[in-house]
């Protein structure tokens, strides 16, 4: 023991995470050293497990230590026991079949159809030329504990290993039961290095369905070239299993990640009206790739994939599916429990009279009485309706009663005001479309041969009286003019959109003036239609009103701007840029980065649930005749608009600072905290976002620098390079030849790429998603579609408009059914589930990695996120910041990191999870 103490005292061991080779293992086996030495050694070992950069130095140190120890190694290895504590998560609710199978598994477990584990060493066995392995150990007491109702159950297993076994690096698990189980973690106790943690968080399938053994690696991260010899083949095998062979129909229990095009949105077998263009592939419509399910083609179109309709589940890899509490939140929401069950019954009852709102009181009654009472159909519909079990606890009278949206909470009529209309462009649910006006009048980038003159109808005379005495050029030079420009997004589609039943749209531009107190005011709205002839009047400009008729015209014009904005927000900024464009990065990460790769461990919480929510969106939101088509202006052309926008998507400009500079909203300034100066100083989304961006970047920098001290490590990391290359060349294949893709050749490149990905998955998505019901749940504030244009004096409808402008206004808004359907959907999309993980949080925060320095860096990041939240609270109480504090003004909390469950209009989850 004196020799052991002498060795443990030298500083060389403090720089090594793997000196416990087969020689020293015998000396430090639990049977022959004191407890206090074990504890001291454990603390030293755990504190410095992963300084892998010093690999060469460590190997030379190992040689010296092994040479000194060789004299005291016993001739015969000593066997000793180690224990596994296996944590399994129970289901809260089981159906009858699951209960029967569980009892059957409990019975057969006693006769050998059990769960077995095998420890695998980081060292090679010189005799077998493979990794050293323990005996097979059986999970104890499964039958005794099978009826426990706790959320988690701890089982144990005992292994017998030799003292020269080395360190455990992996565990294989074989499930001989009939039913899958969720393995949360395994902890091995009894080795000299102290407890070894295996974060699993995975469903283990029965051997009868998936014959191979499941592999789980310890929390110790390794770059590919530093993988211990005993784990190399397992690392490669696990990745091969996850990639699959690209063939066949995927089973719901599979764990295979592969790519496919968007050929599953339409259902041509139901008729031509349900056919939709394929996005991605050979049809010359570029789009990111989705997760492949391998379903058979439709009968009428071999290139279209057959659909799985709700409530049947669509395939995503088993571990990507919602966990139980998340699924319960989703299932009990109005999207499934109400929308999909109630609306068909309502449609049958009132399809002959598609109700319009007659006034504001009709909308108000949705929050006080509910839809059924509003229609007088409460008893009739509820008698017919086979309500799902999940809503049996909800009072029938409240079934379609909506929560009051936050936009009404402080000032019921705030939405009518121009300053609130403008404030929502920088602090609402779509704060990423506004740009600095570079030239006046604005100019289209569309082909004039197809879409007519590029010049705008806006003239200086339209805005001159709203510039506080400035000329237009002076206002431009003083950075006072801003624009929300949806002209080029919509104009190519307007002929088709306006031919749809009950849809009318313009392509809009809105000019804003920045006041001296930092608020914006709208000063002109341009409404464009396609040219029908050389002299046709296709563009009109509406300015702030000076009379009663002008007031209603202005209100309808603003509503059309909001409908344009709602479509761009949902189809481009939200769905395309945060959901769809991230999916290839996630698929490639699972296919190319081992679970023991440090970058996989970093990204893991930011990929949670994204494949599942995207699959659900394709199934019931984005599909032909789905919710998005039904609720948004472009109708059946929604996804074509999204695909058209993808042609202009650039990953290198998706980070917050680059995006602000691209939009002209900020200029580089090294004297500012984040290297940027905002031209709208009180821009809540940007101001709060830059704090979060800075925190993410600092955390990623600490993390990357731990593993990649130089460009050599980045370039030689074959898994990392394969991940990035596959994302571009397969996941974003139509854009693979663009020269704007960032290179991945240095630590700074990697920091930038990872910071952008984490920003998009967390804060950017939160800013665009969780305000949907708080702002859009009151349809007049933000109508998702419009049904009437503004009548000209020569139109027959003009007399109707003059006679009852309020009635005309409400007839232009979505119908009652369209509105309630939309409200139900955005209510669901704005809801946090109870199991949400927010930025700065991680499952198993102290054991997700075996690198103590990284755990410490994560806690530092978490503390910084907490500090930012307090600063956001302070900003929301600062009366100088008029875009987030004032009479009737909503605070800006969409980037406040934490939240409780439900619709809260705040909270930044780690991932795109809804």
């Amino acid at each position: 023991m004196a020799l052991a103490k002498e060795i443990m005292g030298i500083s060389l061991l403090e720089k090594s995470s793997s000196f416990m080779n087969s020689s020293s293992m015998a000396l430090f086996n639990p049977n022959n050293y004191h407890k206090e030495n074990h504890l001291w050694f454990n603390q030293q070992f755990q504190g410095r497990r992963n300084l892998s950069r010093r690999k060469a130095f460590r190997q030379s140190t190992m040689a010296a230590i092994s040479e000194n120890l060789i004299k005291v190694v016993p001739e015969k290895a000593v066997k000793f026991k180690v224990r596994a504590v296996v944590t399994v998560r129970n289901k809260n609710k089981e159906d009858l079949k699951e209960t029967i199978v569980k009892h059957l598994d409990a019975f057969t477990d006693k006769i050998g159809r059990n769960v077995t584990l095998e420890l695998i060493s980081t060292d090679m066995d010189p005799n077998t030329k493979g990794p050293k392995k323990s005996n097979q150990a059986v999970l104890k007491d499964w039958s005794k504990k099978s009826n426990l109702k706790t959320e988690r159950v701890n089982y144990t297993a005992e292994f017998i290993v030799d003292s020269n076994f080395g360190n455990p690096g992996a565990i294989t698990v074989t499930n001989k039961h009939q039913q899958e189980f969720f393995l949360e973690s395994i902890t091995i106790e009894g080795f000299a290095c102290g407890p070894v943690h295996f974060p699993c968080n995975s469903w283990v399938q029965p051997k009868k369905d998936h014959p191979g053994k499941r592999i789980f690696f310890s929390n110790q991260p390794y770059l590919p070239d530093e993988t211990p010899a005993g784990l190399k083949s397992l690392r490669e095998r696990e990745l091969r299993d996850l990639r699959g062979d690209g063939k066949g129909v995927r089973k719901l229990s599979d764990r295979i990640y592969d790519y496919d095009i968007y050929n599953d949105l339409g259902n041509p077998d139901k008729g031509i009206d349900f056919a939709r263009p394929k996005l991605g592939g050979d049809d010359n419509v570029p789009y990111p790739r989705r997760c492949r399910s391998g379903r058979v083609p439709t009968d009428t179109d071999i290139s279209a994939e057959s659909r799985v309709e709700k409530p049947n589940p669509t395939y995503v890899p088993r571990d990507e599916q919602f966990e139980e509490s998340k699924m319960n939140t989703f299932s009990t929401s109005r999207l499934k429990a109400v929308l999909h069950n109630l609306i068909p019954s309502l449609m049958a009852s009132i399809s002959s009279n598609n109700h319009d709102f007659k006034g504001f009181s009709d909308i108000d009654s949705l929050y006080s009485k509910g839809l059924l009472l509003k229609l007088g159909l409460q008893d009739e519909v509820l008698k017919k309706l086979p309500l799902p079990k999940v809503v049996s606890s909800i009072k029938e009278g409240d079934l379609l009663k909506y929560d009051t949206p936050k936009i009404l909470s402080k000032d019921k009529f705030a939405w009518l005001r121009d300053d609130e209309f403008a404030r929502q462009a920088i602090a609402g649910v779509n704060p990423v479309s506004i740009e600095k006006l570079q030239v006046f009048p604005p100019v289209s980038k569309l082909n004039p041969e197809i879409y007519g003159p590029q010049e705008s109808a806006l003239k200086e005379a339209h805005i001159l009286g709203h510039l506080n005495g400035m000329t237009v050029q002076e206002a431009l030079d003083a950075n006072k003019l801003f624009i929300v420009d949806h002209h080029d997004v919509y104009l190519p589609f307007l002929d088709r959109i306006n031919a749809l039943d009950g849809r009318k749209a313009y392509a809009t531009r809105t000019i804003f003036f920045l006041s001296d107190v930092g608020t914006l005011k709208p000063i002109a709205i341009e409404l464009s239609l396609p040219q029908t002839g050389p002299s046709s009047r296709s563009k009109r400009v509406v300015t702030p009103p000076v009379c009663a008729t002008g007031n209603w015209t202005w209100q309808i014009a603003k509503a059309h701007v909001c409908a344009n904005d709602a479509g761009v927000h949902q189809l481009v900024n939200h769905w395309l840029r945060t959901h769809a464009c991230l999916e290839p990065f996630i698929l490639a990460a699972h296919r190319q980065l081992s679970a023991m790769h440090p970058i996989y461990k970093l990204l893991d919480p930011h990929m949670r649930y994204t494949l599942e929510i995207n699959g659900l969106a394709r199934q019931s939101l984005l599909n032909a005749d789905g919710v998005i088509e039904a609720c948004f202006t472009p109708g059946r052309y929604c996804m074509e608009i999204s695909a058209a926008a993808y042609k202009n998507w650039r990953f290198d400009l998706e980070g917050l600072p680059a995006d602000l500079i691209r939009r002209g909203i900020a200029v580089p300034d090294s004297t500012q905290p984040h290297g940027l100066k905002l031209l709208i100083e009180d821009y809540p989304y940007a101001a709060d976002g830059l704090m979060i961006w800075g925190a993410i970047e600092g955390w990623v920098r600490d993390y990357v620098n731990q593993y990649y001290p130089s460009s050599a490590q980045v370039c030689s990391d074959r898994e990392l390079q394969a991940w990035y290359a596959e994302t571009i060349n397969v996941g974003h294949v139509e854009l693979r030849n663009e020269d704007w893709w960032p290179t991945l050749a240095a630590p700074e490149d990697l920091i930038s790429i990872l910071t952008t990905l984490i920003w998009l998955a967390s804060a950017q998505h939160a800013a665009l998603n969780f305000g949907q019901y708080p702002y859009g749940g009151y349809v007049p504030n933000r109508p998702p579609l419009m049904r009437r244009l503004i009548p000209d004096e020569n139109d027959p409808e003009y007399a109707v408009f003059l006679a009852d402008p309020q009635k005309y206004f409400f007839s232009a808004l979505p119908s009652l059914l369209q509105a309630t359907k939309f409200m139900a959907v955005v209510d669901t999309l704005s809801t946090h589930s109870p199991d949400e993980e927010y930025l700065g949080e991680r499952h198993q925060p102290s054991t997700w990695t075996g690198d103590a320095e990284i755990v410490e860096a994560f806690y530092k990041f978490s503390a910084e996120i907490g500090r930012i939240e307090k600063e956001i609270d302070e900003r929301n109480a600062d009366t100088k910041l008029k875009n987030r504090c004032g009479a009737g003004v909503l605070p800006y909390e969409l980037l406040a990191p934490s939240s409780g469950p439900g619709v809260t209009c705040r909270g930044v989850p780690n991932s795109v999870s809804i």
Side-chain angles (χ1 to χ4, degrees):
M1 287 312 296
L3 177 59
K5 289 178 181 176
E6 180 183 341
I7 292 172
M8 285 192 291
I10 64 174
S11 60
L12 291 177
L13 287 185
E14 296 182 359
K15 303 179 186 297
S16 170
S17 67
S18 59
F19 79 98
M20 293 292 294
N21 62 8
S22 57
S23 302
S24 56
M25 192 63 215
L27 184 63
F28 293 125
N29 122 28
N31 298 319
N32 61 7
Y33 72 100
H34 293 134
K35 185 177 180 181
E36 57 269 24
N37 286 339
H38 173 92
L39 180 61
W40 186 96
F41 175 79
N42 179 28
Q43 290 167 344
Q44 298 297 310
F45 187 88
Q46 290 288 340
R48 298 165 175 85
R49 290 186 72 178
N50 193 51
L51 294 180
S52 56
R53 283 173 266 162
R54 302 168 184 169
K55 186 181 177 190
F57 178 75
R58 183 172 66 212
Q59 288 173 337
S60 63
T61 306
M62 280 284 303
I65 294 170
S66 300
E67 191 176 345
N68 288 333
L69 287 176
I70 199 73
K71 303 167 188 175
V72 294
V73 173
E75 291 183 7
K76 188 173 182 181
V78 178
K79 293 188 179 295
F80 64 98
K81 287 183 180 179
V82 295
R83 187 174 81 129
V85 178
V86 179
T87 303
V88 172
R89 190 186 303 163
N90 273 340
K91 282 190 173 181
N92 291 324
K93 295 179 183 177
E94 296 173 333
D95 59 31
L96 180 61
K97 180 183 176 184
E98 288 172 330
T99 302
I100 292 171
V101 174
K102 184 176 80 170
H103 288 304
L104 179 64
D105 283 340
F107 173 75
T108 58
D109 190 87
K110 298 176 182 177
I111 57 173
R113 282 173 51 181
N114 43 30
V115 177
T116 59
L117 291 79
E118 186 177 45
L119 271 182
I120 297 175
S121 172
T122 56
D123 294 342
M124 296 292 282
D125 187 328
N127 298 321
T128 65
K129 308 300 183 187
K132 294 178 181 177
K133 298 179 181 180
S134 72
N135 62 310
Q136 294 250 347
V138 174
L139 215 56
K140 295 180 180 179
D141 299 328
W142 188 281
S143 56
K144 288 182 183 177
K145 296 181 178 181
S146 63
N147 288 321
L148 289 176
K149 301 299 182 185
T150 55
E151 185 179 1
R152 292 172 177 81
V153 179
N154 288 331
Y155 299 93
T156 59
E158 284 188 350
F159 303 93
I160 297 175
V161 295
D162 288 340
S163 52
N164 62 4
F165 180 80
N167 290 326
I171 293 179
T172 62
V173 180
T174 305
N175 177 12
K176 299 175 190 173
H177 291 165
Q178 296 293 304
Q179 194 160 266
E180 66 178 6
F181 63 88
F182 189 83
L183 180 57
E184 189 169 88
S185 65
I186 302 172
T187 301
I188 304 297
E189 300 169 339
F191 281 97
C193 59
V196 181
H197 299 284
F198 293 77
C200 304
N201 299 307
S202 180
W203 291 95
V204 179
Q205 299 301 322
K207 185 178 180 180
K208 65 182 180 65
D209 297 328
H210 294 266
K213 295 179 179 180
R214 278 299 307 277
I215 304 165
F216 296 99
F217 297 106
S218 79
N219 63 354
Q220 183 65 26
Y222 295 104
L223 295 176
D225 288 344
E226 295 172 352
T227 310
L231 303 181
K232 282 183 178 178
S233 62
L234 289 176
R235 182 173 187 146
E236 292 165 3
R237 186 182 113 194
E238 174 74 350
L239 285 174
R240 282 197 304 274
D241 290 345
L242 290 168
R243 291 181 199 128
D245 60 6
K247 299 175 183 176
V249 180
R250 296 273 64 85
K251 297 181 294 185
L252 292 175
S253 59
D254 284 346
R255 295 171 58 244
I256 294 175
Y257 298 79
D258 205 354
Y259 302 92
D260 210 339
I261 63 173
Y262 279 64
N263 62 347
D264 61 339
L265 299 179
N267 190 352
D269 291 348
K270 287 179 69 175
I272 191 67
D273 287 344
F274 293 89
R276 293 293 180 270
K278 290 168 281 296
L279 308 181
D282 299 328
D283 285 5
N284 201 30
V285 184
Y287 213 64
R289 293 301 182 263
R290 63 171 174 95
C291 182
R292 178 185 179 275
S293 59
R295 295 192 298 269
V296 297
T298 59
D299 294 334
T300 51
D301 183 353
I302 196 169
S303 64
E305 187 174 271
S306 58
R307 289 185 51 77
V308 174
E309 302 295 354
K310 54 188 181 294
N312 297 314
T314 184
Y315 172 76
V316 291
R318 181 64 183 100
D319 290 340
E320 304 302 318
Q321 295 170 28
F322 287 164
E323 292 176 17
E324 195 173 8
S325 63
K326 175 79 170 181
M327 182 52 79
N328 287 342
T329 301
F330 199 78
S331 298
T332 56
S333 68
R334 292 184 174 91
L335 185 61
K336 284 192 174 179
V338 177
L339 188 59
H340 298 311
N341 292 287
L342 217 60
I343 292 301
S345 298
L346 290 173
M347 291 292 286
S349 302
I350 60 176
S351 59
S352 60
N353 183 13
N354 194 355
H355 289 234
D356 288 341
F357 292 111
K358 294 183 176 60
F360 294 108
S361 60
D362 277 10
I363 300 176
D364 293 343
S365 68
L366 292 176
Y367 312 117
S368 57
K369 297 179 182 178
L371 177 60
L372 296 185
L373 287 176
K374 169 76 189 71
L375 296 171
L377 296 170
Q378 175 93 349
D379 295 334
E380 179 187 350
V381 172
L382 287 176
K383 281 176 191 170
K384 297 178 184 176
L385 195 65
L387 285 178
K389 295 174 186 174
V390 291
V391 295
S392 59
S393 61
I394 302 174
K395 287 194 298 184
E396 289 180 348
D398 290 338
L399 199 55
L400 264 183
K401 193 167 158 184
Y402 294 89
D403 294 329
T404 302
K406 197 170 182 180
I407 184 63
L408 302 179
S409 64
K410 282 197 156 193
D411 182 349
K412 189 175 178 180
F413 299 107
W415 67 276
L416 279 165
R417 298 196 318 262
D418 286 356
D419 65 286
E420 177 62 21
F421 171 78
R423 190 191 72 84
Q424 289 184 31
I426 54 175
V429 71
N430 185 35
V432 299
S433 286
I434 191 166
E435 301 175 340
K436 179 182 180 292
L437 186 61
Q438 303 291 352
V439 294
F440 187 90
V443 178
S444 170
K445 295 178 182 176
L446 296 174
N447 186 342
E449 294 181 8
I450 301 174
Y451 301 108
Q454 295 177 315
E455 291 75 25
S456 165
L458 285 159
K459 306 298 181 189
E460 290 199 6
H462 289 127
I463 68 172
L464 206 53
H466 303 282
L467 304 182
N468 287 3
M470 292 182 178
T471 66
V472 172
Q473 191 58 50
E474 285 172 340
L476 285 172
D477 294 342
N479 301 320
K480 291 286 191 178
L481 291 177
F482 296 86
I483 185 171
V484 172
D485 189 348
H486 298 316
H487 178 277
D488 289 4
V489 174
Y490 278 90
L491 195 68
F493 294 91
L494 280 185
D495 278 333
R496 286 173 283 171
I497 290 171
N498 288 335
L500 295 172
D501 185 35
R503 303 292 166 97
K504 288 294 180 280
Y506 298 100
T508 67
R509 290 186 177 110
T510 309
I511 308 294
F512 297 94
F513 179 75
L514 180 64
S515 73
D516 292 339
V517 294
T519 57
L520 293 169
K521 63 178 180 180
I523 58 174
I525 294 172
E526 181 184 30
L527 305 170
S528 298
L529 292 169
Q531 270 197 319
T532 54
S535 59
S536 67
R537 183 169 174 241
S538 61
K539 300 177 182 180
R540 67 184 293 178
V541 176
V542 183
T543 55
V546 292
C547 65
T549 303
N551 178 67
W552 281 104
T553 302
W554 180 245
Q555 292 298 341
I556 298 172
K558 287 197 298 181
H560 272 283
V561 170
C562 289
N564 262 203
D565 196 63
V568 170
H569 161 257
Q570 196 69 267
L571 303 170
V572 180
N573 296 333
H574 179 204
W575 167 257
L576 174 67
R577 292 172 64 187
T578 65
H579 284 259
C581 286
L582 282 182
E583 188 158 349
F585 286 93
I586 293 169
L587 290 169
H590 286 286
R591 289 167 53 86
Q592 301 296 343
L593 296 176
S594 166
M596 67 174 80
H597 196 291
I599 300 305
Y600 181 90
K601 289 180 179 293
L602 174 69
L603 290 176
D604 186 35
H606 305 291
M607 303 188 290
R608 187 183 189 220
Y609 291 155
T610 303
L611 298 185
E612 169 82 331
I613 196 61
N614 286 4
L616 289 168
R618 290 191 299 273
Q619 184 182 43
S620 59
L621 296 181
L622 305 168
N623 58 304
D625 205 33
V627 173
I628 298 295
E629 289 192 1
C631 292
F632 288 87
T633 294
R636 63 178 295 150
Y637 307 108
C638 278
M639 289 303 287
E640 290 182 58
I641 284 182
S642 182
Y646 177 61
K647 295 175 184 176
N648 299 317
W649 176 82
R650 289 183 52 163
F651 180 69
D652 63 323
L653 299 181
E654 286 296 282
L656 179 59
D659 179 56
L660 293 172
I661 292 170
R662 165 176 59 179
R663 292 190 282 124
I665 295 287
V667 293
D669 185 342
S670 59
T671 67
Q672 297 294 313
H674 303 283
L676 291 180
K677 180 184 179 184
L678 293 175
L679 300 186
I680 305 173
E681 289 185 23
D682 182 16
Y683 183 176
Y685 158 79
D688 294 357
L690 284 170
M691 288 196 296
I692 291 179
W693 172 273
I696 294 171
E697 186 177 46
W699 155 234
V700 171
R701 187 176 302 281
D702 288 346
Y703 196 96
V704 167
N705 288 341
Q706 177 80 349
Y707 301 100
Y708 301 93
S710 72
S711 298
Q713 283 88 347
V714 174
C715 293
S716 64
D717 186 336
R718 59 185 179 277
E719 286 184 8
L720 184 71
Q721 294 295 334
W723 162 67
Y724 191 54
E726 184 174 282
T727 298
I728 297 170
N729 295 316
V730 182
H732 288 281
V733 59
E734 286 93 7
L735 303 182
R736 68 188 182 280
N737 294 322
E738 300 292 340
D739 59 7
W740 45 254
W741 281 104
T743 57
L744 180 52
E748 280 300 317
D749 300 337
L750 182 56
I751 290 165
S752 175
I753 290 166
L754 295 173
T755 303
T756 299
L757 289 175
I758 295 172
W759 160 259
L760 290 172
S762 58
Q764 179 79 329
H765 178 259
L768 294 167
N769 183 72
F770 293 102
Q772 290 190 83
Y773 187 79
Y775 283 99
Y778 187 67
V779 169
N781 176 59
R782 193 173 172 79
L785 63 83
M786 294 292 283
R787 294 185 293 152
R788 290 192 177 190
L789 301 175
I790 300 174
D792 281 327
E793 293 181 13
N794 299 324
D795 293 339
E797 287 188 325
Y798 191 71
V800 177
F801 167 65
L802 285 181
D804 193 340
Q806 178 175 296
K807 182 179 179 181
Y808 189 91
F809 176 74
F810 279 104
S811 72
L813 294 181
S815 69
L816 176 61
L817 276 180
Q818 288 170 328
T820 52
K821 194 172 189 177
F822 171 74
M823 289 162 64
V825 172
V826 293
D827 180 46
T828 299
L829 298 182
S830 304
T831 299
H832 291 293
S833 65
D835 72 336
E836 202 86 85
E837 284 181 7
Y838 297 95
L839 198 62
E841 298 177 351
R842 278 198 78 129
H843 191 54
Q844 300 161 332
S846 59
T847 59
W848 63 273
T849 177
D851 189 331
E853 292 184 29
I854 290 300
V855 171
E856 186 180 338
F858 178 74
Y859 282 127
K860 185 178 82 170
F861 167 62
S862 183
E864 175 62 9
I865 293 296
R867 186 200 66 76
I868 288 170
E869 179 153 345
K870 290 178 182 175
E871 185 161 340
I872 289 173
D873 291 341
E874 291 170 4
R875 289 177 176 182
N876 285 328
D878 186 347
T879 54
K880 295 193 294 294
L881 302 176
K882 299 188 184 301
N883 292 317
R884 61 198 305 162
C885 182
V889 176
L890 291 183
Y892 186 74
E893 297 179 308
L894 285 168
L895 289 175
S898 71
S899 174
V903 180
T904 63
C905 201
R906 62 176 292 138
V908 179
N910 275 323
S911 63
V912 178
S913 59
I914 189 67

